[in-house]
Amino acid sequence: MARIYELSGYKSGDENFAELSRAYHTMEKEIKTLSKLVKKELPEYDRQILQGIAILADPPWWVCAAAAFTCGFFIGYIVGCAIASAFTGGVAFIVCVGSIAALVGMVFTIVMSCTISCCCMGYTICCD
C-alpha cells in the first residue's frame, strides 16, 4: 500500500498520498517490532494468521449529522441550565439534571457525540 500511495502521489502531485505512504511505512516498522516482541516474549501467541481483514471507512453522513446535533443540543441544554441556575439559586440545575444518573448519562453523551462530530470534521486527533 505504501508503494501504491507513493506512486499515486507522484502522478497526481497530491501531498496527501505521500503522507499515507509514510504512514504505511511507519506501520510496517511497528508491525515488525511487534512481531519480534511476540516471538521473543510471548511465544504461545506466535501463530500463523489464516485470515485477516481490515476496513478503513469514514462514518456515514447521518452519523456525523446526528453527532453534531446531539453535541450542540446537550451543550446548549447545559448552558441554558447554568444560566437558569444563576437566577434561581441552583434550583433550575437540579430540575434540569434531575439525578446523578442523568448527569452522568448527559456527560457521556456530550463527550461521545462531540468526539464523533470532531472526528467527522476532519480533526484526526479526535478519531483515536
Side-chain angles (χ1 to χ4, degrees):
M1 289 304 298
R3 187 75 179 131
I4 291 170
Y5 282 124
E6 188 176 352
L7 292 172
S8 296
Y10 286 135
K11 289 179 183 176
S12 69
D14 188 347
E15 180 61 27
N16 289 324
F17 286 115
E19 186 177 331
L20 285 168
S21 177
R22 288 189 295 272
Y24 272 99
H25 282 298
T26 300
M27 285 189 283
E28 175 188 20
K29 290 176 192 172
E30 296 295 329
I31 286 295
K32 285 181 181 177
T33 302
L34 179 62
S35 178
K36 289 176 186 174
L37 178 71
V38 168
K39 184 174 264 182
K40 182 179 176 184
E41 301 291 330
L42 302 164
E44 64 271 18
Y45 294 101
D46 189 19
R47 306 247 188 250
Q48 181 181 6
I49 297 173
L50 300 177
Q51 181 180 5
I53 298 172
I55 298 173
L56 298 175
D58 290 330
W61 69 268
W62 55 268
V63 169
C64 295
F69 173 80
T70 305
C71 174
F73 174 80
F74 276 109
I75 288 176
Y77 184 83
I78 292 291
V79 169
C81 287
I83 291 170
S85 290
F87 294 109
T88 62
V91 174
F93 189 76
I94 294 168
V95 171
C96 283
V97 174
S99 71
I100 295 297
L103 182 60
V104 169
M106 192 180 305
V107 169
F108 177 78
T109 302
I110 290 170
V111 169
M112 293 306 295
S113 63
C114 294
T115 300
I116 292 168
S117 182
C118 176
C119 183
C120 288
M121 289 186 286
Y123 297 104
T124 56
I125 192 150
C126 302
C127 304
D128 293 334

